[in-house]
Amino acid sequence: MLTRIDHIGIACSNLDATVEFYRATYGFEVFHTEVNEEQGVREAMLKINDTSDGGASYLQLLEPTREDSAVGKWLAKNGEGVHHIAFGTADVDGDAEAIRGKGVRVLYDEPRIGSMGSRITFLHPKDCHGVLTELVTSAEPSADHSSAEH
Amino acid sequence: MLTRIDHIGIACSNLDATVEFYRATYGFEVFHTEVNEEQGVREAMLKINDTSDGGASYLQLLEPTREDSAVGKWLAKNGEGVHHIAFGTADVDGDAEAIRGKGVRVLYDEPRIGSMGSRITFLHPKDCHGVLTELVTSAEPSADHSSAEH
């Protein structure tokens, strides 16, 4: 069951400049940064609020590390903007299978590793009224990383 | 101060079909519907979770009521997808002025009425790394509409 908006994924050309925009304009601070070579992105997570399921909602700023990555191709076509939205669930495997059973294309056979050690999968945007949709199960059961900030 | 992801605004061609997709695929139910003639949209709010500031996060599904509305023009150009993101604040007037003072274009001189009697304004996407960004102050101080569902 999907129990929160986990994050909004935003593609950008220059991660440092975009992080600085969100800090200077709104006061949002970086909670976590990492490079995901499989996804071909360098990213920063900005935590916005905690959520009623014990998790949190983030902005995920994504800069492609190579032009032929999914985000790199998307950015070349669309320019900077919202790339995907992500819902949090305690059971990405079970939810992905249930959703696949309803005829929505799930992009990975098995969930892969996402931000902060989470398990993630994506749903085909053409099956979701134009919205690239991610499902996320956080690495920690509580989904609360406030004590693990780095 | 912006204290939550208030909603993700998603433009769609057929509101009823899109509401049904979100219900059938994820189990999300409609929390509120309305027509905003000024914005030229018919909309459904799907509540996803409560937030740590006493508010909530929603998906806002938007169908244009006329082709020359902002969402109608956007949809004709881009097709269905994420139209904007919105942050919640207790003081949209003060935050909009502070953000204007930082050189970001605010689209309204004064906040206007948004979903569920909220006060809203928008920031120019070209000043926000491609993201049309809304600021929202809910109609009720608690920002919690769970007892006012209709």
Side-chain angles (χ1 to χ4, degrees):
Chain A
M1 191 173 74
L2 311 185
T3 53
R4 70 179 176 280
I5 294 177
D6 186 86
H7 64 266
I8 300 167
I10 296 172
C12 61
S13 307
N14 181 316
L15 184 62
D16 295 341
T18 309
V19 163
E20 175 55 18
F21 166 78
Y22 279 97
R23 191 201 60 73
T25 309
Y26 309 125
F28 296 157
E29 299 288 347
V30 172
F31 180 79
H32 176 85
T33 60
E34 70 182 88
V35 175
N36 186 320
E37 292 290 0
E38 182 183 24
Q39 302 281 342
V41 292
R42 190 164 78 93
E43 63 175 66
M45 298 292 276
L46 315 182
K47 184 174 171 179
I48 311 303
N49 56 265
D50 290 311
T51 56
S52 45
D53 66 347
S57 294
Y58 302 86
L59 296 188
Q60 181 187 53
L61 307 179
L62 300 160
E63 179 194 297
T65 57
R66 48 179 199 271
E67 289 182 2
D68 67 347
S69 65
V71 173
K73 289 181 200 168
W74 189 92
L75 194 61
K77 181 179 175 188
N78 299 284
E80 294 186 314
V82 176
H83 175 261
H84 68 272
I85 68 174
F87 298 111
T89 166
D91 179 17
V92 64
D93 298 75
D95 285 346
E97 275 314 297
I99 289 168
R100 196 194 305 270
K102 294 174 184 176
V104 174
R105 283 170 283 179
V106 178
L107 299 189
Y108 303 153
D109 289 337
E110 299 288 334
R112 298 183 186 176
I113 300 301
S115 302
M116 302 188 287
S118 59
R119 286 169 57 77
I120 65 171
T121 196
F122 286 93
L123 311 181
H124 199 300
K126 289 191 178 171
D127 294 346
C128 299
H129 289 268
V131 177
L132 177 59
T133 303
E134 180 180 346
L135 310 180
V136 183
T137 296
S138 298
E140 298 168 43
S142 74
D144 184 346
H145 294 258
S146 58
S147 62
E149 192 162 345
H150 56 286
Chain B
M1 191 172 76
L2 311 184
T3 53
R4 70 179 175 280
I5 293 177
D6 185 87
H7 64 266
I8 300 168
I10 296 172
C12 61
S13 307
N14 182 316
L15 184 63
D16 295 342
T18 308
V19 162
E20 175 56 18
F21 166 79
Y22 279 97
R23 191 202 60 73
T25 309
Y26 309 124
F28 296 157
E29 299 288 348
V30 172
F31 180 78
H32 175 85
T33 60
E34 70 181 88
V35 175
N36 186 321
E37 292 291 358
E38 183 183 24
Q39 302 282 341
V41 293
R42 190 164 77 95
E43 63 175 67
M45 298 291 277
L46 315 181
K47 184 173 170 179
I48 311 302
N49 56 265
D50 290 309
T51 55
S52 44
D53 66 347
S57 294
Y58 302 85
L59 296 188
Q60 181 187 52
L61 307 179
L62 300 160
E63 179 193 299
T65 56
R66 49 180 197 269
E67 289 182 3
D68 67 347
S69 65
V71 172
K73 290 181 201 169
W74 189 91
L75 194 60
K77 181 180 176 187
N78 298 285
E80 294 187 314
V82 177
H83 175 260
H84 68 271
I85 67 174
F87 298 112
T89 166
D91 179 16
V92 64
D93 298 75
D95 284 346
E97 276 313 297
I99 289 168
R100 196 194 303 269
K102 293 173 183 177
V104 174
R105 282 169 284 179
V106 179
L107 299 189
Y108 302 153
D109 288 337
E110 299 288 334
R112 298 183 186 176
I113 300 301
S115 302
M116 303 188 286
S118 60
R119 287 170 57 77
I120 65 171
T121 198
F122 286 93
L123 311 181
H124 199 302
K126 289 193 177 169
D127 293 346
C128 299
H129 289 269
V131 178
L132 177 59
T133 303
E134 181 180 344
L135 310 181
V136 183
T137 295
S138 298
E140 297 168 43
S142 74
D144 184 346
H145 294 258
S146 58
S147 61
E149 192 161 348
H150 56 286

